[in-house]
Amino acid sequence: MYKILSVNPGSTSTKFAVYEDETLVCLHTIRHSVQDLKPFKTLFDQYEFRKTLMLDYLKNDGIDLSDLSAVVGRGGMVRPLESGVYAVNDKLLSDLKASHSAEHASNLGGVIAFEIAENIPNCQAFIADPVVVDELQDVARVSGLPEIPRISMFHALNHKAIARKYAAATGMSYENLKLVIAHLGGGISVAAHSYGKVIDTNQGLDGYGPFSPERAGTIDAGRLVDMCFEGKYTQAQIKKMLVGNGGLMAHLGLSDVQKIELKIKAGDENADLILQAMAYNVGKEIGSMLAVLSGNVDAVILTGGIARSKFVVDYIKDMISAMAKVVVYPGEDEMEALAMSGLRVLRGEKSKVY
Ligand SMILES: Nc1ncnc2c1ncn2[C@@H]1O[C@H](COP(=O)(O)OP(=O)(O)O)[C@@H](O)[C@H]1O
Ligand SMILES: CCCC(=O)OP(=O)(O)O
């Protein structure tokens, strides 16, 4: 029997779980308010806070970590790489610590995994399907400015896990399917999956695509440049407008779709318009990914926390159902996906070298 700890640090939460082989032993989501994280200047200043909280919870649960076989962290903004499970080595560790491609809480995942595993005999540290998994087709990389090519930055871990779950449920292999998958969480990524590869995606962190509960998505580049230089905002303030305070948060002061739905039910017309607009932009992005796949897809899959929202799901279905079958997998499978990735390697699959 293998015991595995999954660690998934997000911008507003730290999620972790312990599995014994395929069996879930415990799962926690600790939410971090803006106030909780305010004392920390940089992402890595949060390291001890998040790790200690997690270890305290596990201690309270009576979980013995001394017999862990693996710790698998969600990572991270490292160099673009192919989908798979990577052993945390010095180079990977150094790129995670340097936030090589961008600052994102998932950079903490691989580092926490490494530092827990190194103190336990025979325990290995991995990351799996990090957010920089890059399988883009060449044509999708070209933007209108050679200096700023399009990049692959999306919720690769959940996309791949849900794609495989759908494949298993339909008796197919992921490598034989064409899918459009929309991950609808605090951040939103919509991607075209062609026979096991993600050949195109929006940039779900601070780039192009639909706005999300806390991210601005595509905005008028010229007006953004003007805003950057008019002297009213610092660089950090503008970045915060794009990630953290953008999207639903900017319009409504809330990123919680459940609370926004309550406002709509109470007659708030502005909240109604803004939530429709988010769903509309997701629908448009799905439409463009359908075009990437020549309209010929097995399914469009909606997943993530917002796939629990009837309001959003119904809106997107109205836009898309005439073009493709729409399937809903509410929530995300990241914790299980991390643990099962580690388990596959412990059972003999080769991990990749970063
Ligand atoms: N039952 C629900 N109905 C509507 N929205 C929901 C529901 N459950 C979660 N959500 C929304 O999902 C979003 C969070 O999604 P999640 O995938 O958990 O995000 P992340 O992991 O990126 O923080 C929040 O806006 C939350 O309000
Ligand atoms: C789109 C890159 C990954 C990401 O932003 O993840 P979260 O939405 O979980 O922060």
Side-chain angles (χ1 to χ4, degrees):
M1 190 264 299
Y2 293 110
K3 192 167 171 181
I4 300 160
L5 171 64
S6 311
V7 185
N8 182 355
S11 37
T12 60
S13 67
T14 302
K15 298 178 188 169
F16 52 93
V18 175
Y19 283 78
E20 288 178 350
D21 289 339
E22 282 87 357
T23 307
L24 177 67
V25 177
C26 76
L27 168 70
H28 288 286
T29 299
I30 309 175
R31 297 266 165 216
H32 309 305
S33 66
V34 175
Q35 250 4 71
D36 291 339
L37 300 181
K38 208 170 182 173
F40 306 108
K41 270 214 181 85
T42 69
L43 174 69
F44 272 88
D45 290 343
Q46 301 170 12
Y47 177 83
E48 278 305 326
F49 166 73
R50 295 204 195 219
K51 186 175 152 198
T52 308
L53 258 180
M54 181 179 79
L55 294 178
D56 285 349
Y57 268 74
L58 291 170
K59 201 168 171 190
N60 269 343
D61 283 356
I63 304 279
D64 177 13
L65 298 184
S66 67
D67 56 350
L68 279 179
S69 309
V71 190
V72 191
R74 185 184 178 211
M77 294 291 178
V78 293
R79 290 158 215 265
L81 38 69
E82 62 180 33
S83 171
V85 186
Y86 290 79
V88 183
N89 59 19
D90 288 345
K91 190 169 164 222
L92 178 53
L93 202 58
S94 142
D95 279 357
L96 287 167
K97 286 185 176 168
S99 294
H100 183 272
S101 297
E103 187 146 284
H104 185 261
S106 66
N107 292 343
L108 294 166
V111 182
I112 293 177
F114 181 83
E115 294 194 359
I116 291 178
E118 85 173 338
N119 292 312
I120 300 171
N122 303 318
C123 181
Q124 302 178 63
F126 302 107
I127 63 166
D129 282 333
V131 296
V132 288
V133 163
D134 185 349
E135 302 167 333
L136 295 185
Q137 55 183 348
D138 288 344
V139 71
R141 296 183 191 280
V142 183
S143 79
L145 267 189
E147 294 84 349
I148 310 181
R150 292 193 187 270
I151 56 169
S152 188
M153 198 170 274
F154 71 112
H155 303 84
L157 183 64
N158 194 43
H159 272 255
K160 293 282 179 182
I162 294 295
R164 292 211 163 85
K165 190 174 248 193
Y166 176 78
T170 51
M172 300 280 288
S173 146
Y174 173 44
E175 285 69 27
N176 288 328
L177 289 171
K178 283 171 118 183
L179 303 167
V180 174
I181 301 186
H183 171 103
L184 311 176
I188 288 180
S189 56
V190 182
H193 294 238
S194 178
Y195 305 129
K197 301 264 183 247
V198 176
I199 60 170
D200 204 342
T201 176
N202 70 298
Q203 201 274 57
L205 185 63
D206 54 3
Y208 35 87
F211 70 80
S212 81
E214 56 134 63
R215 297 178 192 171
T218 305
I219 40 171
D220 183 324
R223 284 160 68 195
L224 178 64
V225 171
D226 292 343
M227 197 189 231
C228 292
F229 287 94
E230 71 192 14
K232 196 167 159 196
Y233 302 106
T234 63
Q235 182 179 3
Q237 283 170 327
I238 291 190
K239 286 202 165 204
K240 195 75 192 162
M241 281 182 203
L242 301 182
V243 180
N245 290 341
L248 297 179
M249 192 70 195
H251 285 285
L252 303 171
L254 285 173
S255 58
D256 183 330
V257 169
Q258 273 180 294
K259 288 191 182 147
I260 293 168
E261 286 182 337
L262 290 177
K263 278 176 164 275
I264 295 170
K265 281 198 187 107
D268 185 330
E269 288 179 9
N270 185 44
D272 193 3
L273 173 70
I274 300 299
L275 194 58
Q276 281 191 52
M278 189 180 83
Y280 169 80
N281 277 283
V282 172
K284 260 177 36 176
E285 194 73 21
I286 292 171
S288 73
M289 292 304 165
L290 285 171
V292 167
L293 297 169
S294 309
N296 176 18
V297 302
D298 294 282
V300 169
I301 303 180
L302 309 180
T303 180
I306 301 168
R308 295 199 181 93
S309 162
K310 186 169 159 32
F311 183 105
V312 174
V313 167
D314 285 353
Y315 195 99
I316 297 170
K317 279 186 171 170
D318 280 351
M319 287 177 78
I320 301 298
S321 293
M323 294 183 273
K325 176 170 81 169
V326 180
V327 183
V328 184
Y329 281 85
E332 38 81 6
D333 251 359
E334 290 178 344
M335 303 314 294
E336 186 177 313
L338 287 172
M340 294 310 110
S341 300
L343 188 60
R344 285 199 306 276
V345 172
L346 292 168
R347 285 180 173 163
E349 189 180 297
K350 250 182 119 37
S351 62
K352 297 193 157 126
V353 180
Y354 180 71

